[in-house]
Amino acid sequence: MNILVTGGAGYIGSHVVEELCEAGETVVVFDNLSTGHRAAVHPKAEFVQGDLKDAASVNRLFDDHHFEAVMHFASYTLVGESMAQPFMYLGDNVSNALNLLRAMVEHDVKRFILSSTANLFDDPQRMPIDEQERIVPGSPYGESKFIIERLLHWMDRIYGLRFAALRYFNAAGASPTADRGEDHAVETHLIPLILKVALGQRARITIFGNDYATPDGTCIRDYIHVNDLAQAHILALKALDRGSRIYNLGNGQGYSVKDVIDTARAVTGCDIATEIGARRAGDPAILIAGSDTLKRELGWQPRFAALRDIVATAWEWHRTHPNGYGLDQ
Ligand code: UDP
């Protein structure tokens, strides 16, 4: 298939592009490189630098290629930032998706995969969280993804555009080739921050609260390996001919912040210094995905289900790329 991947130079997008290219698909990456890295793009993919904000260039892109499917990752993605700058999210994230959808409709492209989020579940009634859980966006970021899911619902009804929305929990780890991994200009995620302590780039990791109602008092999250997440995109794309679908996507297992630190100590052999800090605003105690629907309907199985494997692949990337993509931006 000829597939457009927006945001294919970013952390998750670049790993999906890797899996698509390795599976023999033809991939065009469209990315403005505001947070992504040119060097993250698989060498077999065509790269077009551009911005979804610019509707004319999006249309040109569709004029120049005959796409059969679109995977949409390009987006602002930080919960905290969205609370400080809501218009970037409720405005740009949504209007950029609309530019993309309009070009798809005008060019008769009928398959779409959305990178959605567990931030839709701010007040879960059951754990693990399955697709029946009520939607309570936790931030303008989550709301922007929910609005796009609703746009897709109408695109399907009116134009027959088939979509899958994959609501990710905590994407983590790095390509087993160690050619690509996580490299954010301002890192906020737990696993890369812990590994930066192991590398000696940071003095210690701050544990955001140890008084939660969990066995060790620290927050529990569902970490899913980024290449497993990528495989789910490929399976979802193949299933679209049988109709649109929405899945929660995680490992189905929860690990506490302390579990992650202990695992990183075992993997790296480094003594990782910690300190207890205040709770981070908006952090729920436990978030675990119910991914049974995805497993049952698409036969998805994680290859890197064990936290140790997830952390080990991340460590291999950070150890071999201590400055991320560095000068190869
Ligand atoms: N966390 C932490 N210290 C940090 C960064 C994160 O204790 O420096 C905790 C955070 O409170 C959450 C978990 O680690 O419980 C995962 O956070 P991350 O930002 O990686 O992902 P999120 O769950 O926000 O998507």
Side-chain angles (χ1 to χ4, degrees):
M1 244 190 237
N2 200 7
I3 303 171
L4 169 64
V5 181
T6 74
Y11 170 49
I12 296 176
S14 66
H15 286 78
V16 174
V17 170
E18 171 181 285
E19 293 283 346
L20 287 169
C21 289
E22 296 299 324
E25 308 290 0
T26 304
V27 179
V28 177
V29 168
F30 188 74
D31 197 302
N32 66 7
L33 297 183
S34 64
T35 57
H37 306 273
R38 178 66 185 87
V41 178
H42 192 284
K44 285 190 187 150
E46 179 184 336
F47 178 73
V48 179
Q49 185 165 353
D51 203 311
L52 291 172
K53 235 188 325 214
D54 177 1
S57 73
V58 177
N59 266 310
R60 260 197 317 278
L61 180 73
F62 278 78
D63 287 340
D64 292 347
H65 299 82
H66 175 69
F67 296 123
E68 295 163 276
V70 173
M71 294 194 180
H72 180 45
F73 299 91
S75 153
Y76 297 115
T77 60
L78 299 176
V79 168
E81 181 180 66
S82 80
M83 297 296 283
Q85 304 208 50
F87 291 104
M88 281 170 69
Y89 289 78
L90 299 169
D92 296 8
N93 271 5
V94 174
S95 64
N96 291 348
L98 275 169
N99 285 344
L100 184 59
L101 289 171
R102 199 172 286 120
M104 286 180 69
V105 167
E106 282 169 10
H107 292 80
D108 205 29
V109 182
K110 295 255 162 91
R111 297 185 188 89
F112 189 96
I113 309 284
L114 175 67
S115 160
S116 189
T117 174
N119 193 242
L120 301 189
F121 308 115
D122 201 42
D123 186 21
Q125 306 299 298
R126 292 177 308 276
M127 203 60 64
I129 301 171
D130 64 23
E131 291 81 5
Q132 310 311 316
E133 184 59 59
R134 68 187 175 131
I135 304 291
V136 182
S139 66
Y141 165 61
E143 188 77 49
S144 73
K145 293 288 182 172
F146 185 51
I147 294 171
I148 299 169
E149 288 191 5
R150 296 302 304 161
L151 298 176
L152 289 168
H153 164 83
W154 290 108
M155 295 297 113
D156 185 346
R157 248 182 93 171
I158 298 168
Y159 299 111
L161 183 151
R162 299 277 185 260
F163 72 93
L166 301 177
R167 297 164 170 168
Y168 316 148
F169 284 62
N170 289 63
S175 167
T177 64
D179 286 342
R180 44 193 65 80
E182 212 163 348
D183 178 5
H184 298 115
V186 179
E187 191 51 76
T188 61
H189 295 109
L190 182 64
I191 292 176
L193 286 176
I194 292 172
L195 296 178
K196 282 174 189 288
V197 179
L199 280 173
Q201 295 177 345
R202 298 175 71 100
R204 64 189 65 80
I205 181 80
T206 304
I207 298 172
F208 294 153
N210 66 347
D211 57 352
Y212 283 94
T214 59
D216 67 18
T218 66
C219 285
I220 292 178
R221 292 287 178 275
D222 180 331
Y223 297 90
I224 171 172
H225 192 280
V226 64
N227 285 77
D228 285 334
L229 193 136
Q231 278 300 327
H233 289 70
I234 294 177
L235 292 171
L237 178 60
K238 288 186 182 143
L240 285 190
D241 292 340
R242 305 199 303 272
S244 295
R245 51 204 60 231
I246 293 180
Y247 295 115
N248 291 358
L249 183 47
N251 233 333
Q253 300 174 67
Y255 296 98
S256 73
V257 174
K258 282 190 179 160
D259 289 335
V260 178
I261 295 168
D262 286 341
T263 303
R265 285 184 177 132
V267 165
T268 63
C270 298
D271 178 31
I272 294 162
T274 64
E275 68 181 0
I276 306 297
R279 288 183 176 200
R280 188 171 67 177
D283 262 343
I286 306 179
L287 283 176
I288 300 172
S291 290
D292 287 354
T293 321
L294 179 69
K295 288 182 175 155
R296 195 177 56 246
E297 292 188 4
L298 303 189
W300 177 77
Q301 282 298 337
R303 268 193 305 158
F304 304 92
L307 181 62
R308 195 186 167 96
D309 292 342
I310 295 174
V311 173
T313 57
W315 175 236
E316 201 48 27
W317 157 256
H318 284 283
R319 195 181 62 75
T320 55
H321 299 79
N323 300 312
Y325 292 98
L327 295 176
D328 301 335
Q329 290 305 321

